[in-house]
PDB file of all heavy atoms in Angstrom:
ATOM      1  N   THR A 120      -7.627  -4.722  -4.769  1.00  0.00           N
ATOM      2  CA  THR A 120      -8.100  -5.688  -5.757  1.00  0.00           C
ATOM      3  C   THR A 120      -7.550  -5.313  -7.124  1.00  0.00           C
ATOM      4  O   THR A 120      -7.557  -4.141  -7.493  1.00  0.00           O
ATOM      5  CB  THR A 120      -9.634  -5.716  -5.794  1.00  0.00           C
ATOM      6  OG1 THR A 120     -10.132  -6.092  -4.511  1.00  0.00           O
ATOM      7  CG2 THR A 120     -10.144  -6.715  -6.819  1.00  0.00           C
ATOM      8  N   GLY A 121      -7.073  -6.302  -7.853  1.00  0.00           N
ATOM      9  CA  GLY A 121      -6.559  -6.065  -9.187  1.00  0.00           C
ATOM     10  C   GLY A 121      -5.106  -5.632  -9.174  1.00  0.00           C
ATOM     11  O   GLY A 121      -4.366  -5.879  -8.214  1.00  0.00           O
ATOM     12  N   ASN A 122      -4.702  -4.983 -10.253  1.00  0.00           N
ATOM     13  CA  ASN A 122      -3.305  -4.589 -10.406  1.00  0.00           C
ATOM     14  C   ASN A 122      -2.902  -3.551  -9.370  1.00  0.00           C
ATOM     15  O   ASN A 122      -3.739  -2.814  -8.839  1.00  0.00           O
ATOM     16  CB  ASN A 122      -3.064  -4.048 -11.812  1.00  0.00           C
ATOM     17  CG  ASN A 122      -3.316  -5.091 -12.879  1.00  0.00           C
ATOM     18  OD1 ASN A 122      -3.135  -6.284 -12.655  1.00  0.00           O
ATOM     19  ND2 ASN A 122      -3.739  -4.650 -14.062  1.00  0.00           N
ATOM     20  N   ILE A 123      -1.587  -3.488  -9.101  1.00  0.00           N
ATOM     21  CA  ILE A 123      -1.048  -2.508  -8.163  1.00  0.00           C
ATOM     22  C   ILE A 123      -0.402  -1.394  -8.977  1.00  0.00           C
ATOM     23  O   ILE A 123       0.467  -1.645  -9.818  1.00  0.00           O
ATOM     24  CB  ILE A 123      -0.006  -3.160  -7.236  1.00  0.00           C
ATOM     25  CG1 ILE A 123      -0.658  -4.285  -6.419  1.00  0.00           C
ATOM     26  CG2 ILE A 123       0.614  -2.124  -6.302  1.00  0.00           C
ATOM     27  CD1 ILE A 123       0.325  -5.087  -5.584  1.00  0.00           C
ATOM     28  N   THR A 124      -0.846  -0.169  -8.748  1.00  0.00           N
ATOM     29  CA  THR A 124      -0.278   0.958  -9.481  1.00  0.00           C
ATOM     30  C   THR A 124       1.069   1.357  -8.887  1.00  0.00           C
ATOM     31  O   THR A 124       1.385   1.025  -7.735  1.00  0.00           O
ATOM     32  CB  THR A 124      -1.234   2.156  -9.453  1.00  0.00           C
ATOM     33  OG1 THR A 124      -1.491   2.524  -8.086  1.00  0.00           O
ATOM     34  CG2 THR A 124      -2.561   1.795 -10.122  1.00  0.00           C
ATOM     35  N   SER A 125       1.859   2.060  -9.665  1.00  0.00           N
ATOM     36  CA  SER A 125       3.176   2.487  -9.198  1.00  0.00           C
ATOM     37  C   SER A 125       3.020   3.488  -8.049  1.00  0.00           C
ATOM     38  O   SER A 125       2.017   4.196  -7.938  1.00  0.00           O
ATOM     39  CB  SER A 125       3.956   3.104 -10.350  1.00  0.00           C
ATOM     40  OG  SER A 125       3.267   4.233 -10.878  1.00  0.00           O
ATOM     41  N   PHE A 126       4.045   3.555  -7.208  1.00  0.00           N
ATOM     42  CA  PHE A 126       4.027   4.476  -6.068  1.00  0.00           C
ATOM     43  C   PHE A 126       5.459   4.792  -5.679  1.00  0.00           C
ATOM     44  O   PHE A 126       6.408   4.123  -6.110  1.00  0.00           O
ATOM     45  CB  PHE A 126       3.256   3.864  -4.885  1.00  0.00           C
ATOM     46  CG  PHE A 126       3.885   2.613  -4.323  1.00  0.00           C
ATOM     47  CD1 PHE A 126       4.733   2.665  -3.213  1.00  0.00           C
ATOM     48  CD2 PHE A 126       3.651   1.361  -4.896  1.00  0.00           C
ATOM     49  CE1 PHE A 126       5.322   1.524  -2.697  1.00  0.00           C
ATOM     50  CE2 PHE A 126       4.232   0.211  -4.387  1.00  0.00           C
ATOM     51  CZ  PHE A 126       5.073   0.285  -3.291  1.00  0.00           C
ATOM     52  N   THR A 127       5.609   5.800  -4.853  1.00  0.00           N
ATOM     53  CA  THR A 127       6.929   6.202  -4.388  1.00  0.00           C
ATOM     54  C   THR A 127       7.260   5.441  -3.116  1.00  0.00           C
ATOM     55  O   THR A 127       6.504   5.489  -2.133  1.00  0.00           O
ATOM     56  CB  THR A 127       6.980   7.712  -4.119  1.00  0.00           C
ATOM     57  OG1 THR A 127       6.694   8.412  -5.330  1.00  0.00           O
ATOM     58  CG2 THR A 127       8.355   8.126  -3.605  1.00  0.00           C
ATOM     59  N   GLY A 128       8.386   4.728  -3.139  1.00  0.00           N
ATOM     60  CA  GLY A 128       8.780   3.950  -1.978  1.00  0.00           C
ATOM     61  C   GLY A 128       9.251   4.840  -0.837  1.00  0.00           C
ATOM     62  O   GLY A 128       9.944   5.834  -1.052  1.00  0.00           O
ATOM     63  N   THR A 129       8.854   4.444   0.364  1.00  0.00           N
ATOM     64  CA  THR A 129       9.189   5.238   1.546  1.00  0.00           C
ATOM     65  C   THR A 129       9.951   4.389   2.542  1.00  0.00           C
ATOM     66  O   THR A 129       9.571   3.251   2.829  1.00  0.00           O
ATOM     67  CB  THR A 129       7.908   5.786   2.216  1.00  0.00           C
ATOM     68  OG1 THR A 129       7.190   6.560   1.264  1.00  0.00           O
ATOM     69  CG2 THR A 129       8.240   6.643   3.420  1.00  0.00           C
ATOM     70  N   ASN A 130      11.033   4.974   3.096  1.00  0.00           N
ATOM     71  CA  ASN A 130      11.782   4.327   4.171  1.00  0.00           C
ATOM     72  C   ASN A 130      12.480   5.424   4.973  1.00  0.00           C
ATOM     73  O   ASN A 130      13.360   6.113   4.453  1.00  0.00           O
ATOM     74  CB  ASN A 130      12.811   3.347   3.609  1.00  0.00           C
ATOM     75  CG  ASN A 130      13.574   2.619   4.708  1.00  0.00           C
ATOM     76  OD1 ASN A 130      13.384   2.867   5.894  1.00  0.00           O
ATOM     77  ND2 ASN A 130      14.463   1.721   4.310  1.00  0.00           N
ATOM     78  N   VAL A 131      12.085   5.623   6.216  1.00  0.00           N
ATOM     79  CA  VAL A 131      12.663   6.677   7.051  1.00  0.00           C
ATOM     80  C   VAL A 131      13.596   6.084   8.096  1.00  0.00           C
ATOM     81  O   VAL A 131      13.863   6.715   9.120  1.00  0.00           O
ATOM     82  CB  VAL A 131      11.537   7.498   7.732  1.00  0.00           C
ATOM     83  CG1 VAL A 131      10.725   8.257   6.692  1.00  0.00           C
ATOM     84  CG2 VAL A 131      10.623   6.589   8.562  1.00  0.00           C
ATOM     85  N   THR A 132      14.081   4.867   7.834  1.00  0.00           N
ATOM     86  CA  THR A 132      15.031   4.234   8.741  1.00  0.00           C
ATOM     87  C   THR A 132      16.367   4.078   8.024  1.00  0.00           C
ATOM     88  O   THR A 132      16.492   4.407   6.845  1.00  0.00           O
ATOM     89  CB  THR A 132      14.540   2.847   9.191  1.00  0.00           C
ATOM     90  OG1 THR A 132      14.715   1.916   8.121  1.00  0.00           O
ATOM     91  CG2 THR A 132      13.076   2.888   9.607  1.00  0.00           C
ATOM     92  N   ASN A 133      17.363   3.586   8.751  1.00  0.00           N
ATOM     93  CA  ASN A 133      18.657   3.346   8.105  1.00  0.00           C
ATOM     94  C   ASN A 133      18.866   1.872   7.762  1.00  0.00           C
ATOM     95  O   ASN A 133      19.987   1.448   7.492  1.00  0.00           O
ATOM     96  CB  ASN A 133      19.785   3.853   9.000  1.00  0.00           C
ATOM     97  CG  ASN A 133      19.928   3.026  10.270  1.00  0.00           C
ATOM     98  OD1 ASN A 133      18.996   2.344  10.688  1.00  0.00           O
ATOM     99  ND2 ASN A 133      21.110   3.075  10.894  1.00  0.00           N
ATOM    100  N   GLN A 134      17.744   1.089   7.776  1.00  0.00           N
ATOM    101  CA  GLN A 134      17.784  -0.327   7.411  1.00  0.00           C
ATOM    102  C   GLN A 134      16.805  -0.586   6.272  1.00  0.00           C
ATOM    103  O   GLN A 134      15.797   0.110   6.134  1.00  0.00           O
ATOM    104  CB  GLN A 134      17.403  -1.204   8.613  1.00  0.00           C
ATOM    105  CG  GLN A 134      18.310  -1.047   9.824  1.00  0.00           C
ATOM    106  CD  GLN A 134      19.720  -1.543   9.547  1.00  0.00           C
ATOM    107  OE1 GLN A 134      19.909  -2.518   8.808  1.00  0.00           O
ATOM    108  NE2 GLN A 134      20.710  -0.876  10.112  1.00  0.00           N
ATOM    109  N   PRO A 135      17.069  -1.603   5.435  1.00  0.00           N
ATOM    110  CA  PRO A 135      16.097  -1.951   4.395  1.00  0.00           C
ATOM    111  C   PRO A 135      14.762  -2.353   5.016  1.00  0.00           C
ATOM    112  O   PRO A 135      14.717  -3.026   6.044  1.00  0.00           O
ATOM    113  CB  PRO A 135      16.751  -3.133   3.675  1.00  0.00           C
ATOM    114  CG  PRO A 135      18.212  -3.002   3.974  1.00  0.00           C
ATOM    115  CD  PRO A 135      18.290  -2.435   5.356  1.00  0.00           C
ATOM    116  N   VAL A 136      13.672  -1.944   4.396  1.00  0.00           N
ATOM    117  CA  VAL A 136      12.330  -2.334   4.813  1.00  0.00           C
ATOM    118  C   VAL A 136      11.763  -3.246   3.738  1.00  0.00           C
ATOM    119  O   VAL A 136      11.687  -2.850   2.568  1.00  0.00           O
ATOM    120  CB  VAL A 136      11.416  -1.115   5.033  1.00  0.00           C
ATOM    121  CG1 VAL A 136       9.991  -1.569   5.356  1.00  0.00           C
ATOM    122  CG2 VAL A 136      11.966  -0.249   6.151  1.00  0.00           C
ATOM    123  N   VAL A 137      11.387  -4.461   4.142  1.00  0.00           N
ATOM    124  CA  VAL A 137      10.889  -5.458   3.181  1.00  0.00           C
ATOM    125  C   VAL A 137       9.404  -5.709   3.453  1.00  0.00           C
ATOM    126  O   VAL A 137       9.018  -6.112   4.558  1.00  0.00           O
ATOM    127  CB  VAL A 137      11.672  -6.778   3.279  1.00  0.00           C
ATOM    128  CG1 VAL A 137      11.140  -7.782   2.264  1.00  0.00           C
ATOM    129  CG2 VAL A 137      13.162  -6.536   3.069  1.00  0.00           C
ATOM    130  N   ALA A 138       8.592  -5.470   2.450  1.00  0.00           N
ATOM    131  CA  ALA A 138       7.156  -5.745   2.534  1.00  0.00           C
ATOM    132  C   ALA A 138       6.841  -6.999   1.727  1.00  0.00           C
ATOM    133  O   ALA A 138       7.361  -7.185   0.623  1.00  0.00           O
ATOM    134  CB  ALA A 138       6.346  -4.567   2.013  1.00  0.00           C
ATOM    135  N   THR A 139       5.992  -7.844   2.287  1.00  0.00           N
ATOM    136  CA  THR A 139       5.541  -9.048   1.574  1.00  0.00           C
ATOM    137  C   THR A 139       4.104  -8.831   1.120  1.00  0.00           C
ATOM    138  O   THR A 139       3.222  -8.529   1.934  1.00  0.00           O
ATOM    139  CB  THR A 139       5.620 -10.286   2.472  1.00  0.00           C
ATOM    140  OG1 THR A 139       6.983 -10.507   2.855  1.00  0.00           O
ATOM    141  CG2 THR A 139       5.111 -11.523   1.743  1.00  0.00           C
ATOM    142  N   VAL A 140       3.877  -8.986  -0.153  1.00  0.00           N
ATOM    143  CA  VAL A 140       2.542  -8.823  -0.732  1.00  0.00           C
ATOM    144  C   VAL A 140       2.020 -10.204  -1.116  1.00  0.00           C
ATOM    145  O   VAL A 140       2.680 -10.937  -1.851  1.00  0.00           O
ATOM    146  CB  VAL A 140       2.569  -7.892  -1.957  1.00  0.00           C
ATOM    147  CG1 VAL A 140       1.159  -7.722  -2.533  1.00  0.00           C
ATOM    148  CG2 VAL A 140       3.164  -6.534  -1.587  1.00  0.00           C
ATOM    149  N   THR A 141       0.846 -10.549  -0.593  1.00  0.00           N
ATOM    150  CA  THR A 141       0.228 -11.856  -0.848  1.00  0.00           C
ATOM    151  C   THR A 141      -0.967 -11.671  -1.775  1.00  0.00           C
ATOM    152  O   THR A 141      -1.876 -10.887  -1.476  1.00  0.00           O
ATOM    153  CB  THR A 141      -0.240 -12.507   0.466  1.00  0.00           C
ATOM    154  OG1 THR A 141       0.883 -12.668   1.336  1.00  0.00           O
ATOM    155  CG2 THR A 141      -0.862 -13.883   0.204  1.00  0.00           C
ATOM    156  N   VAL A 142      -0.963 -12.398  -2.888  1.00  0.00           N
ATOM    157  CA  VAL A 142      -2.039 -12.302  -3.880  1.00  0.00           C
ATOM    158  C   VAL A 142      -2.906 -13.557  -3.796  1.00  0.00           C
ATOM    159  O   VAL A 142      -2.392 -14.678  -3.800  1.00  0.00           O
ATOM    160  CB  VAL A 142      -1.468 -12.147  -5.303  1.00  0.00           C
ATOM    161  CG1 VAL A 142      -2.600 -12.037  -6.326  1.00  0.00           C
ATOM    162  CG2 VAL A 142      -0.558 -10.931  -5.378  1.00  0.00           C
ATOM    163  N   THR A 143      -4.226 -13.355  -3.729  1.00  0.00           N
ATOM    164  CA  THR A 143      -5.175 -14.470  -3.662  1.00  0.00           C
ATOM    165  C   THR A 143      -6.089 -14.438  -4.876  1.00  0.00           C
ATOM    166  O   THR A 143      -6.784 -13.438  -5.107  1.00  0.00           O
ATOM    167  CB  THR A 143      -6.032 -14.389  -2.381  1.00  0.00           C
ATOM    168  OG1 THR A 143      -5.176 -14.397  -1.232  1.00  0.00           O
ATOM    169  CG2 THR A 143      -7.001 -15.566  -2.294  1.00  0.00           C
ATOM    170  N   PRO A 144      -6.125 -15.533  -5.680  1.00  0.00           N
ATOM    171  CA  PRO A 144      -7.015 -15.578  -6.845  1.00  0.00           C
ATOM    172  C   PRO A 144      -8.349 -16.236  -6.482  1.00  0.00           C
ATOM    173  O   PRO A 144      -8.392 -17.234  -5.759  1.00  0.00           O
ATOM    174  CB  PRO A 144      -6.230 -16.442  -7.828  1.00  0.00           C
ATOM    175  CG  PRO A 144      -5.483 -17.413  -6.945  1.00  0.00           C
ATOM    176  CD  PRO A 144      -5.196 -16.682  -5.649  1.00  0.00           C
ATOM    177  N   THR A 145      -9.434 -15.686  -6.992  1.00  0.00           N
ATOM    178  CA  THR A 145     -10.762 -16.255  -6.753  1.00  0.00           C
ATOM    179  C   THR A 145     -11.535 -16.288  -8.066  1.00  0.00           C
ATOM    180  O   THR A 145     -11.689 -15.266  -8.734  1.00  0.00           O
ATOM    181  CB  THR A 145     -11.549 -15.435  -5.715  1.00  0.00           C
ATOM    182  OG1 THR A 145     -10.799 -15.358  -4.496  1.00  0.00           O
ATOM    183  CG2 THR A 145     -12.899 -16.085  -5.424  1.00  0.00           C
ATOM    184  N   TYR A 146     -12.017 -17.484  -8.406  1.00  0.00           N
ATOM    185  CA  TYR A 146     -12.845 -17.647  -9.601  1.00  0.00           C
ATOM    186  C   TYR A 146     -14.251 -18.031  -9.165  1.00  0.00           C
ATOM    187  O   TYR A 146     -14.431 -18.974  -8.380  1.00  0.00           O
ATOM    188  CB  TYR A 146     -12.276 -18.732 -10.522  1.00  0.00           C
ATOM    189  CG  TYR A 146     -13.170 -19.045 -11.706  1.00  0.00           C
ATOM    190  CD1 TYR A 146     -13.222 -18.198 -12.808  1.00  0.00           C
ATOM    191  CD2 TYR A 146     -13.977 -20.180 -11.708  1.00  0.00           C
ATOM    192  CE1 TYR A 146     -14.049 -18.472 -13.890  1.00  0.00           C
ATOM    193  CE2 TYR A 146     -14.805 -20.456 -12.781  1.00  0.00           C
ATOM    194  CZ  TYR A 146     -14.840 -19.603 -13.873  1.00  0.00           C
ATOM    195  OH  TYR A 146     -15.665 -19.868 -14.928  1.00  0.00           O
ATOM    196  N   THR A 147     -15.257 -17.311  -9.657  1.00  0.00           N
ATOM    197  CA  THR A 147     -16.633 -17.555  -9.255  1.00  0.00           C
ATOM    198  C   THR A 147     -17.467 -17.960 -10.459  1.00  0.00           C
ATOM    199  O   THR A 147     -17.435 -17.297 -11.511  1.00  0.00           O
ATOM    200  CB  THR A 147     -17.243 -16.302  -8.605  1.00  0.00           C
ATOM    201  OG1 THR A 147     -16.447 -15.930  -7.467  1.00  0.00           O
ATOM    202  CG2 THR A 147     -18.673 -16.571  -8.134  1.00  0.00           C
ATOM    203  N   ASN A 148     -18.203 -19.059 -10.307  1.00  0.00           N
ATOM    204  CA  ASN A 148     -19.104 -19.541 -11.355  1.00  0.00           C
ATOM    205  C   ASN A 148     -20.320 -20.156 -10.692  1.00  0.00           C
ATOM    206  O   ASN A 148     -20.200 -20.942  -9.753  1.00  0.00           O
ATOM    207  CB  ASN A 148     -18.406 -20.585 -12.234  1.00  0.00           C
ATOM    208  CG  ASN A 148     -19.344 -21.201 -13.258  1.00  0.00           C
ATOM    209  OD1 ASN A 148     -20.032 -20.493 -13.989  1.00  0.00           O
ATOM    210  ND2 ASN A 148     -19.385 -22.522 -13.304  1.00  0.00           N
ATOM    211  N   ASN A 149     -21.515 -19.773 -11.172  1.00  0.00           N
ATOM    212  CA  ASN A 149     -22.769 -20.276 -10.586  1.00  0.00           C
ATOM    213  C   ASN A 149     -22.815 -20.034  -9.078  1.00  0.00           C
ATOM    214  O   ASN A 149     -23.228 -20.903  -8.304  1.00  0.00           O
ATOM    215  CB  ASN A 149     -22.964 -21.764 -10.885  1.00  0.00           C
ATOM    216  CG  ASN A 149     -23.320 -22.015 -12.343  1.00  0.00           C
ATOM    217  OD1 ASN A 149     -23.953 -21.179 -12.988  1.00  0.00           O
ATOM    218  ND2 ASN A 149     -22.887 -23.147 -12.865  1.00  0.00           N
ATOM    219  N   ALA A 150     -22.368 -18.854  -8.670  1.00  0.00           N
ATOM    220  CA  ALA A 150     -22.400 -18.421  -7.267  1.00  0.00           C
ATOM    221  C   ALA A 150     -21.496 -19.233  -6.358  1.00  0.00           C
ATOM    222  O   ALA A 150     -21.590 -19.128  -5.138  1.00  0.00           O
ATOM    223  CB  ALA A 150     -23.840 -18.458  -6.733  1.00  0.00           C
ATOM    224  N   VAL A 151     -20.627 -20.043  -6.939  1.00  0.00           N
ATOM    225  CA  VAL A 151     -19.660 -20.804  -6.141  1.00  0.00           C
ATOM    226  C   VAL A 151     -18.275 -20.200  -6.375  1.00  0.00           C
ATOM    227  O   VAL A 151     -17.777 -20.197  -7.500  1.00  0.00           O
ATOM    228  CB  VAL A 151     -19.664 -22.293  -6.515  1.00  0.00           C
ATOM    229  CG1 VAL A 151     -18.581 -23.046  -5.755  1.00  0.00           C
ATOM    230  CG2 VAL A 151     -21.029 -22.904  -6.217  1.00  0.00           C
ATOM    231  N   ALA A 152     -17.691 -19.663  -5.299  1.00  0.00           N
ATOM    232  CA  ALA A 152     -16.381 -19.020  -5.385  1.00  0.00           C
ATOM    233  C   ALA A 152     -15.292 -20.041  -5.073  1.00  0.00           C
ATOM    234  O   ALA A 152     -15.319 -20.682  -4.019  1.00  0.00           O
ATOM    235  CB  ALA A 152     -16.302 -17.841  -4.428  1.00  0.00           C
ATOM    236  N   CYS A 153     -14.339 -20.163  -5.983  1.00  0.00           N
ATOM    237  CA  CYS A 153     -13.239 -21.104  -5.811  1.00  0.00           C
ATOM    238  C   CYS A 153     -11.944 -20.317  -5.627  1.00  0.00           C
ATOM    239  O   CYS A 153     -11.549 -19.552  -6.512  1.00  0.00           O
ATOM    240  CB  CYS A 153     -13.122 -22.030  -7.017  1.00  0.00           C
ATOM    241  SG  CYS A 153     -14.614 -23.021  -7.311  1.00  0.00           S
TER     242      CYS A 153
END
């Protein structure tokens, strides 16, 4: 949840590794989450 801190990238193969990061926004007001 929230920002992603920096980290050391890891790859123990001889091919590029591609990760997909999906971000979901949620706004809540009067107990109703949108």
Side-chain angles (χ1 to χ4, degrees):
T120 300
N122 298 330
I123 299 174
T124 58
S125 60
F126 64 96
T127 299
T129 302
N130 182 357
V131 294
T132 75
N133 68 339
Q134 300 294 325
V136 175
V137 181
T139 298
V140 181
T141 301
V142 180
T143 302
T145 303
Y146 174 77
T147 302
N148 175 51
N149 288 329
V151 176
C153 300

